[in-house]
Amino acid sequence: MNLASTSLLLPDPAQMAQIDAVASRIVPVRDLMEHAGRAVARAMLRHVTPCRVLVLCGPGSNGGDGYVTARRLAEAGWPVAVAALSPPRPGGDAARAASLWRGPVVPFAAAEAARADLVVDAVFGAGLSRDIDDAVARVLGAARRIVAVDMPSGIDGATGAVRGYAPRAEMTVTFVRAKPGHLLLPGRDMLGRLLVADIGMPDAVWDAVTVRTWRNEPGLWHVPTDAADSHKYTRGVVSICGGASMPGAARLAAAGARAAGAGLVRLAAGDAADLYRLGDPGLVVDGQGLEELLADHRRAVWVCGPGLEVGEVGRALPLLLGAGRTVLADAGAFLLAADRPDLLRGAAVITPHAGEFARVFGAPGPDRLAAARAAAVRIGGVVVLKGPDTVIAAHDGRAAINRHASTALATAGSGDTLTGVIATMLAAGMEAWQAACAGVWLHGEAGMKAGPWPVAEQFDRHLGAARERAALLAGQAPAVGE
């Protein structure tokens, strides 16, 4: 695993427990706890005006971090009190941290939380595995302002789901790496400012623990680059099935593919070819039947679904899969495969939004990451479960979570552009999961560059700049000729 992808890892709470166990054989846990508490205090000194603070401490390691935070803030001159949900286990590292606290200790009560100017939530952290009870919820709910240690109590660190109740923090300080729950909704919206602190975790832990979830950013993947002798076929051919009743969707996919860098984009429209021939002059429109077009083996990557009715998909998709083509299925393909997900088996990538996913696989439920992974296994390909926290899952267990996007993408036709971008990455030779990850990020970057109220036809204008920024962030060489 390269250094860039290691820095993007998203270990879940169970994996963090393994990491802590491995690290404890190298660095004493009490030292890591000291570093964690100091990191929270340092973040507060930097971002919060001094005020009366109540630190709520749970009985575990999260509470231990809280005791250290209280001590460090008190040493900086802040008025601090501690309230313990219950005492730490005797003899443990959290108990040692608690024993070093010499300041005021008050009851774990809503009245105390309401009295403080700010509450530090060090009750449960990201490892919570059950709903929090009403008594804890009342205390957290009484706080006017909250800084969370690791995760606001009540948010599942693996899924981002709220377990009964969770407070909304103004800042969250986590350690080593962010967790999936920091990027997945609804938890992501309850963190406030998220800071990830280095606490001196040894690099050796990453060799001992298998983590298969990443934050989706350049460095996890690299955009394809051109050589001096590149031509349109080395850059890749994207073929798109065009329907007779909704030509706009296929056109948007084609525009996305062309702007993202495809060497050649061809629209297979059959008898509906005349609907498309007055479009962009660089788009090649084919009026032949699909069987004839499949004789050209240079046309390896196909988009099937945008703008197609069920009957059109039902004719095209089996032909494409049967011919061994690399297929990206979207839109109409999910109408065809409603409650019949095996019809999508063999597709390289599918790109459903939550409603389409539910139509085919059933509702994703609170664990979108697990649902996308299971669906990817079912089809033997890559599932892009679209949304503000898009999940990209491969059938081998790899997954990435994307938060690099804009609400500007929530407009009709945006998903069609995305299919064109991903298809371009596939046609350029990227492996399917990396192609999907790159396409989602580039699409998000284009949406951010398009401004607050764009329409789908505007996203493709920013895809070239998005590719350049991705290459820059990944440390790639500039394009040939620059």
Side-chain angles (χ1 to χ4, degrees):
M1 186 179 299
N2 64 52
L3 182 61
S5 62
T6 299
S7 69
L8 299 174
L9 284 172
L10 295 171
D12 64 31
Q15 291 162 337
M16 276 306 305
Q18 294 176 327
I19 288 167
D20 289 342
V22 172
S24 68
R25 299 195 288 267
I26 305 170
V27 180
V29 173
R30 65 176 178 272
D31 290 351
L32 295 175
M33 191 171 286
E34 282 289 331
H35 297 330
R38 185 185 298 118
V40 177
R42 187 182 299 119
M44 293 179 65
L45 292 170
R46 184 179 301 125
H47 298 292
V48 179
T49 302
C51 58
R52 290 178 303 167
V53 173
L54 174 65
V55 182
L56 300 177
C57 293
S61 296
N62 196 247
D65 299 339
Y67 287 111
V68 177
T69 300
R71 174 159 45 88
R72 294 294 183 179
L73 287 174
E75 289 170 355
W78 290 36
V80 183
V82 166
L85 175 64
S86 57
R89 177 176 57 83
D93 293 293
R96 175 188 173 277
S99 72
L100 296 176
W101 172 245
R102 301 286 188 258
V105 176
V106 300
F108 193 93
E112 297 294 341
R115 188 174 296 120
D117 296 321
L118 183 144
V119 167
V120 174
D121 171 12
V123 184
F124 292 123
L128 183 71
S129 59
R130 57 179 175 81
D131 289 359
I132 65 173
D133 61 37
D134 291 342
V136 174
R138 282 194 296 272
V139 175
L140 292 169
R144 287 177 281 173
R145 300 169 61 200
I146 286 180
V147 169
V149 178
D150 193 28
M151 181 75 83
S153 292
I155 296 175
D156 190 313
T159 69
V162 174
R163 304 299 300 266
Y165 170 83
R168 189 175 296 274
E170 66 179 55
M171 181 168 68
T172 298
V173 184
T174 193
F175 315 112
V176 185
R177 299 289 187 274
K179 318 307 181 289
H182 289 121
L183 273 67
L184 292 166
L185 295 171
R188 188 181 83 190
D189 279 351
M190 305 180 77
L191 306 177
R193 181 198 300 265
L194 175 64
L195 301 176
V196 181
D198 179 3
I199 59 172
M201 186 67 72
D203 290 339
V205 300
W206 303 112
D207 296 326
V209 178
T210 300
V211 180
R212 303 282 279 169
T213 309
W214 287 264
R215 186 171 73 251
N216 186 34
E217 290 186 11
L220 179 62
W221 40 266
H222 293 81
V223 289
T225 55
D226 288 338
D229 59 350
S230 293
H231 52 81
K232 63 187 176 186
Y233 288 107
T234 59
R235 288 177 67 175
V237 181
V238 173
S239 298
I240 300 168
C241 296
S245 60
M246 292 180 285
R251 283 178 171 168
L252 286 168
R258 295 183 66 211
L264 177 62
V265 179
R266 304 189 69 140
L267 218 155
D271 293 339
D274 288 344
L275 286 174
Y276 296 91
R277 287 200 168 111
L278 294 179
D280 294 335
L283 175 64
V284 179
V285 179
D286 297 309
Q288 302 97 309
L290 195 55
E291 295 90 342
E292 183 178 348
L293 298 177
L294 286 171
D296 185 349
H297 291 281
R298 295 173 301 182
R299 301 178 67 168
V301 174
W302 286 75
V303 174
C304 183
L308 300 187
E309 295 183 346
V310 172
E312 293 170 323
V313 180
R315 290 187 292 274
L317 186 59
L319 282 173
L320 295 171
L321 295 176
R325 295 302 191 261
T326 299
V327 178
L328 191 159
D330 187 31
F334 306 129
L335 294 173
L336 174 72
D339 299 320
R340 298 186 295 170
D342 290 342
L343 292 181
L344 297 173
R345 186 159 188 85
V349 181
I350 66 172
T351 55
H353 57 60
E356 292 166 332
F357 186 96
R359 184 177 295 127
V360 178
F361 301 101
D367 193 343
R368 284 166 50 85
L369 195 54
R373 279 186 162 120
V377 170
R378 184 73 181 267
I379 69 165
V382 174
V383 173
V384 178
L385 179 49
K386 296 184 293 192
D389 52 352
T390 293
V391 174
I392 308 105
H395 62 90
D396 62 7
R398 289 173 296 164
I401 303 171
N402 188 80
R403 63 170 300 170
H404 186 78
S406 162
T407 55
L409 296 173
T411 184
S414 171
D416 301 316
T417 303
L418 173 63
T419 62
V421 180
I422 297 174
T424 296
M425 301 298 112
L426 289 167
M430 291 184 76
E431 179 268 336
W433 181 72
Q434 291 200 346
C437 290
V440 168
W441 191 94
L442 293 170
H443 185 241
E445 175 74 5
M448 295 167 76
K449 289 181 177 297
W453 296 106
V455 293
E457 294 90 328
Q458 296 173 329
F459 295 136
D460 59 287
R461 303 174 192 174
H462 304 280
L463 285 167
R467 280 191 65 147
E468 290 300 310
R469 177 162 169 75
L472 178 67
L473 291 175
Q476 293 178 254
V480 171
E482 289 190 354

